[in-house]
Amino acid sequence: MSSIRERNKELILRAASEEFAEKGFAACKTSDIADRAGLPKPNVYYYFKSKENLYREVLESIVEPLLEASAPFNQPGHPGEVLRAYIRTKIRISREHACASKVFANEIMHGAPHLSAERTAQLNAQAAHNIACIQSWIDQGLMARVDPNHLLFSIWAATQTYADFDWQISAVTGKATLDDSDYEAAAETIIRMVIKGCEVQEPA
Amino acid sequence: MSSIRERNKELILRAASEEFAEKGFAACKTSDIADRAGLPKPNVYYYFKSKENLYREVLESIVEPLLEASAPFNQPGHPGEVLRAYIRTKIRISREHACASKVFANEIMHGAPHLSAERTAQLNAQAAHNIACIQSWIDQGLMARVDPNHLLFSIWAATQTYADFDWQISAVTGKATLDDSDYEAAAETIIRMVIKGCEVQEPA
DNA sequence: GTCTATAAGCCGATAGAC
DNA sequence: GTCTATCGGCTTATAGAC
């Protein structure tokens, strides 16, 4: 069908993710996005109407995966299982949606001026739920009395950092890109600090 | 002495930190910086020559504190003491140099295009030293066999997040700004995860 | 040293040919 | 539906009066 349309939109979206991630919204030019997509600049406007619109679509593309990452919190489970699954999924998002993750981080850093109120509310509601969940585990004696807010902030930060600060991580490790075993080591380090650090009880 | 000059430069630097942190380098206008500083725009160019120059000065202002934060690693000490001091200093920088921290994070996220090679080398050398230090503790049996790279990345991320993602933290906690006890709780949560999570041995 | 008024150029956006 | 050629606004930067 409208295969050309779909293909071009996809090409532009991918190119835009990369450009926005690399330089940020204001610093990147639509002509660079078009060039990277291998299409003339007016096509970008034809399909997306404006630079801001295109940016918003890139931003939206990461919200769904981020909300889904909290799925383990939305069904009953032992704290250890839930936290492990959550951390692994967060790390996977940083790896598989690296560009969009970085765009999202940038957006949040600047006060989320382009994120719809609805999306903001969804994300905040999910965060509140996760925090309440952790608090209930603490109240049940299933883990130590840590502040659930700060625990969650640490998990977010430690997992997001692999997308956001990939340049720094490359500089320090000397590896241009991390491989499976590096991501595995990252996940295990974070999981260890959370599980052991917060004395999360394993099911009997 | 040249009190007017010094005072004006200071006003502009402060205003620039805030503007750059809020909107990013490309998105912010020199006229807004001038307005925020309460000075006419040409003064900005008179004192700093160019927008990029001004940006670089803001960036430089945070490098020294960041390097100094690693001081505990540069003198002999028990791992627990060193890590505790390091985390507390990192958190303090996020709080006291919130704007410059955010500007720095933004710069790193985009591959540090404005950071001098010299500064980059200094920061990388210090990171390498800290990692080697952690590795030696592991080799001495003073802490568990965690990957020192990932441990450091987690500490950086968890402490930086209070500057970088202050908007998100406000949204989740419902507090416009965190107070002493919030930062204390943040530090304790991170310290706990690192010390307990990595089984850091306390001195006998 | 300070500031008003202006130049110069870049980039988002589109008109209009194909 | 696609792209060339161009406009128009906005922002950095400065010339030159005070």
Side-chain angles (χ1 to χ4, degrees), chain B residues 1-68:
Chain B
M1 316 269 54
S2 51
S3 58
I4 293 179
R5 185 180 194 92
E6 289 311 311
R7 198 193 60 108
N8 283 355
K9 282 191 76 168
E10 201 47 55
L11 282 171
I12 292 167
L13 268 176
R14 179 189 302 270
S17 299
E18 292 166 0
E19 284 289 323
F20 288 140
E22 229 168 73
K23 307 178 191 161
F25 175 72
C28 100
K29 301 183 281 191
T30 51
S31 60
D32 286 346
I33 294 172
D35 288 351
R36 193 187 275 251
L39 292 166
K41 186 173 60 154
N43 274 30
V44 174
Y45 288 92
Y46 175 67
Y47 291 121
F48 293 95
K49 223 182 74 186
S50 72
K51 183 185 179 183
E52 197 172 328
N53 231 39
L54 175 55
Y55 177 77
R56 266 198 272 260
E57 290 221 22
V58 172
L59 207 53
E60 281 290 320
S61 75
I62 192 66
V63 176
E64 212 57 54
L66 281 178
L67 285 169
E68 272 174 35

Side-chain angles (χ1 to χ4, degrees), chain A residues 167, chain B residues 59 106-116 120:
Chain A
W167 178 85
Chain B
L59 207 53
N106 226 297
E107 174 71 10
I108 299 296
M109 272 186 70
H110 297 108
H114 300 279
L115 202 62
S116 70
T120 304

Side-chain angles (χ1 to χ4, degrees), chain A residues 15-91:
Chain A
S17 300
E18 292 167 359
E19 284 289 323
F20 287 140
E22 229 167 74
K23 307 177 192 163
F25 175 72
C28 101
K29 301 182 279 192
T30 51
S31 60
D32 286 346
I33 294 173
D35 288 351
R36 192 187 274 251
L39 292 166
K41 186 172 63 153
N43 274 30
V44 173
Y45 288 91
Y46 175 67
Y47 289 122
F48 294 93
K49 220 182 76 185
S50 73
K51 183 185 179 182
E52 197 172 327
N53 230 41
L54 175 54
Y55 177 77
R56 266 198 272 259
E57 289 221 20
V58 171
L59 207 54
E60 280 291 319
S61 74
I62 192 67
V63 175
E64 212 57 54
L66 282 178
L67 285 169
E68 271 174 34
S70 288
F73 283 98
N74 297 335
Q75 41 195 278
H78 287 285
E81 291 165 4
V82 172
L83 290 168
R84 261 183 264 262
Y86 184 60
I87 291 166
R88 285 198 182 278
T89 305
K90 283 289 217 177
I91 286 273

Side-chain angles (χ1 to χ4, degrees), chain A:
Chain A
M1 297 126 301
S2 53
S3 57
I4 291 178
R5 185 180 194 91
E6 289 312 311
R7 198 191 61 109
N8 283 356
K9 283 192 76 169
E10 201 47 54
L11 282 171
I12 292 167
L13 268 176
R14 179 189 300 270
S17 300
E18 292 167 359
E19 284 289 323
F20 287 140
E22 229 167 74
K23 307 177 192 163
F25 175 72
C28 101
K29 301 182 279 192
T30 51
S31 60
D32 286 346
I33 294 173
D35 288 351
R36 192 187 274 251
L39 292 166
K41 186 172 63 153
N43 274 30
V44 173
Y45 288 91
Y46 175 67
Y47 289 122
F48 294 93
K49 220 182 76 185
S50 73
K51 183 185 179 182
E52 197 172 327
N53 230 41
L54 175 54
Y55 177 77
R56 266 198 272 259
E57 289 221 20
V58 171
L59 207 54
E60 280 291 319
S61 74
I62 192 67
V63 175
E64 212 57 54
L66 282 178
L67 285 169
E68 271 174 34
S70 288
F73 283 98
N74 297 335
Q75 41 195 278
H78 287 285
E81 291 165 4
V82 172
L83 290 168
R84 261 183 264 262
Y86 184 60
I87 291 166
R88 285 198 182 278
T89 305
K90 283 289 217 177
I91 286 273
R92 192 154 39 75
I93 290 173
S94 281
R95 186 181 188 183
E96 291 174 7
H97 304 272
C99 288
S101 275
K102 210 189 246 195
V103 173
F104 182 80
N106 226 296
E107 174 70 11
I108 299 296
M109 272 185 70
H110 297 110
H114 301 279
L115 202 61
S116 69
E118 192 192 341
R119 288 310 205 173
T120 304
Q122 280 183 303
L123 289 160
N124 283 339
Q126 183 67 61
H129 171 76
N130 296 2
I131 287 165
C133 201
I134 293 170
Q135 186 60 55
S136 88
W137 292 333
I138 292 170
D139 294 340
Q140 292 168 60
L142 296 173
M143 56 185 286
R145 305 203 147 273
V146 298
D147 186 311
N149 294 282
H150 296 297
L151 172 57
L152 202 57
F153 298 154
S154 283
I155 293 174
W156 287 346
T159 52
Q160 269 274 153
T161 203
Y162 290 90
D164 300 348
F165 301 111
D166 56 346
W167 178 85
Q168 188 175 38
I169 286 168
S170 289
V172 170
T173 60
K175 300 178 184 184
T177 57
L178 302 188
D179 60 24
D180 286 359
S181 70
D182 294 314
Y183 280 100
E184 181 56 30
E188 294 217 330
T189 303
I190 299 166
I191 287 171
R192 177 193 195 111
M193 290 195 290
V194 170
I195 300 292
K196 264 194 136 68
C198 302
E199 297 167 71
V200 175
Q201 306 298 310
E202 299 300 340

Side-chain angles (χ1 to χ4, degrees), chain B residues 87-121:
Chain B
I87 291 166
R88 285 200 183 277
T89 305
K90 283 289 219 179
I91 286 273
R92 192 155 39 74
I93 290 173
S94 281
R95 186 181 188 184
E96 291 174 8
H97 304 271
C99 288
S101 275
K102 211 189 246 196
V103 173
F104 182 81
N106 226 297
E107 174 71 10
I108 299 296
M109 272 186 70
H110 297 108
H114 300 279
L115 202 62
S116 70
E118 194 192 340
R119 287 311 205 174
T120 304

